[in-house]
Amino acid sequence: MPLQGNLNEFSLSQIFQLISLAGKTGSLTVSSKGAEGKIYFREGRVFFAITPQNRIPLGTRLIDAGLISQDDLKEALLCQQEQPEKRLGEILISRGMKKDVLEQFIKEQIEDALFEIFDWKEGSYYFETENIPEEEDIGIYMSVEDILAEATKRQEEWKKIKEVLPSLDTMVQMSEAPGKSNEDIIIKPQEWKVLYLLDKKRSVKDLKDKSHLTSLSLCRILVRMLSNGLLEIVAPKAKEQAMESSGANKAKRYQSTEPITGKYIKNYREESRQNMPLEWASYYARLNEIAHQLMVKRDGEKN
């Protein structure tokens, strides 16, 4: 009989404990509000997890984190083809990667994914003993006890984060004068990624979508950069002003109740295109083309 049901009946903590006690190997699929996450177990321990925000292959994530190079991964995969009995983690370690560094990275990846799934309070779950992604099992596992302890710890951390960033709609921007102390500011690789995306005022949700970081990972970065003065929160009034200057609101200035010919077209031709959003310039250019066709047709009918 398959293990399946509704999250209203059993919590994820209870489901994890049941799989752990039974020493099961398989995949747990959790669905909630159109999103789906998968957690993979081997003999009751977790070795991998996927969420909507974390679907990049493990090897690619190791490269993105700067832990290995593209050539390192290629050579390790070729080695694994010759020695299929070995896990990718074993091969990477044998080729010089530090075991504790790899273990810490894998644990953080699993914890980030699981924290996102643990935040789902409604939905369904289904456990099956097939469809195990062997390529993602690199031989590093986490016990359910450690996972549940970390989940509790992160929930407390999230409460503190919300005191600084109340919601994902909070707008942030780069500070004009970074740094609130004389100390040097050290920027980590993922923080550079966030700063690169802050070419303008953005909401936390927008940054999350563009950076592909989990909510917790991103908010940790934002809180740190807010504390050292690299970033600042956009006040509600400034937020409205930012929206007024956005492309959608600029477009309103070009909308008109005039007919497609006459003053409307004249105004468009005289308008500086530098101030017009590209998509709206293209839209109005199309209107002009239609207007021109109509005028040609009318002139032809008159003649």
Side-chain angles (χ1 to χ4, degrees):
M1 181 177 178
L3 176 62
Q4 60 183 336
N6 195 294
L7 293 178
N8 291 327
E9 300 170 352
F10 291 95
S11 68
L12 280 174
S13 297
Q14 292 172 318
I15 298 166
F16 271 50
Q17 289 172 335
L18 182 58
I19 295 173
S20 175
L21 289 172
K24 291 289 186 179
T25 296
S27 63
L28 175 67
T29 301
V30 184
S31 303
S32 177
K33 298 179 180 179
E36 183 179 274
K38 284 182 176 290
I39 305 100
Y40 297 95
F41 295 80
R42 189 175 294 282
E43 297 179 356
R45 295 181 296 168
V46 175
F47 69 84
F48 188 56
I50 299 176
T51 67
Q53 295 295 328
N54 185 18
R55 293 189 178 276
I56 304 173
L58 180 58
T60 303
R61 279 181 276 148
L62 287 167
I63 293 172
D64 290 343
L67 296 179
I68 61 174
S69 67
Q70 185 72 51
D71 289 340
D72 291 334
L73 177 61
K74 185 178 179 179
E75 291 172 6
L77 292 174
L78 286 173
C79 184
Q80 191 178 37
Q81 290 178 6
E82 298 172 357
Q83 305 176 66
E85 73 282 358
K86 285 193 174 183
R87 306 289 184 195
L88 180 60
E90 293 178 89
I91 295 171
L92 289 171
I93 292 170
S94 69
R95 299 178 69 86
M97 189 172 189
K98 293 182 179 179
K99 182 178 179 181
D100 58 339
V101 172
L102 180 60
E103 287 182 347
Q104 184 60 33
F105 178 81
I106 298 302
K107 287 180 179 179
E108 287 178 357
Q109 296 293 303
I110 293 173
E111 288 166 356
D112 283 348
L114 290 179
F115 184 79
E116 185 178 345
I117 297 174
F118 267 80
D119 199 39
W120 300 348
K121 305 304 179 185
E122 299 177 358
S124 60
Y125 64 89
Y126 178 82
F127 183 83
E128 55 185 340
T129 56
E130 299 177 354
N131 194 27
I132 300 297
E134 296 290 344
E135 69 278 5
E136 299 294 353
D137 184 357
I138 67 172
I140 295 175
Y141 310 99
M142 289 190 68
S143 70
V144 167
E145 291 79 7
D146 288 344
I147 289 171
L148 297 181
E150 181 64 23
T152 301
K153 178 182 174 182
R154 290 193 175 205
Q155 286 171 351
E156 292 300 318
E157 182 182 2
W158 192 244
K159 289 179 183 178
K160 294 179 180 179
I161 286 173
K162 286 189 173 182
E163 294 175 2
V164 181
L165 296 168
S167 77
L168 296 183
D169 293 324
T170 304
M171 300 282 289
V172 295
Q173 65 182 5
M174 291 184 66
S175 300
E176 292 185 8
K180 295 182 178 179
S181 68
N182 294 324
E183 298 179 3
D184 291 336
I185 299 173
I186 299 174
I187 301 177
K188 300 176 181 179
Q190 283 192 329
E191 293 174 340
W192 269 117
K193 184 177 183 180
V194 173
L195 285 175
Y196 174 79
L197 294 171
L198 274 169
D199 56 333
K200 60 182 180 180
K201 301 178 181 70
R202 293 188 186 276
S203 68
V204 177
K205 183 180 185 303
D206 189 22
L207 283 171
K208 176 186 173 186
D209 293 340
K210 292 182 180 299
S211 66
H212 303 294
L213 294 169
T214 63
S215 297
L216 182 61
S217 296
L218 173 62
C219 287
R220 278 174 172 166
I221 291 171
L222 294 177
V223 168
R224 181 176 184 271
M225 291 196 291
L226 284 165
S227 67
N228 62 30
L230 281 172
L231 302 182
E232 60 186 18
I233 292 176
V234 182
K237 186 176 180 180
K239 177 181 175 182
E240 292 175 7
Q241 292 173 347
M243 291 178 64
E244 288 175 2
S245 63
S246 67
N249 285 281
K250 281 182 182 178
K252 293 180 181 179
R253 300 194 338 239
Y254 304 105
Q255 293 177 355
S256 172
T257 56
E258 294 285 333
I260 202 167
T261 58
K263 181 180 177 183
Y264 173 74
I265 296 299
K266 180 181 178 182
N267 285 346
Y268 165 74
R269 288 172 179 162
E270 294 175 352
E271 180 67 47
S272 170
R273 293 196 183 191
Q274 291 182 349
N275 297 325
M276 184 179 288
L278 181 61
E279 64 271 22
W280 283 90
S282 176
Y283 171 71
Y284 278 92
R286 177 61 180 156
L287 288 183
N288 269 315
E289 182 183 342
I290 295 172
H292 176 71
Q293 292 172 357
L294 287 173
M295 286 188 287
V296 170
K297 182 179 179 182
R298 289 170 186 170
D299 290 342
E301 291 174 349
K302 288 180 182 179
N303 296 330

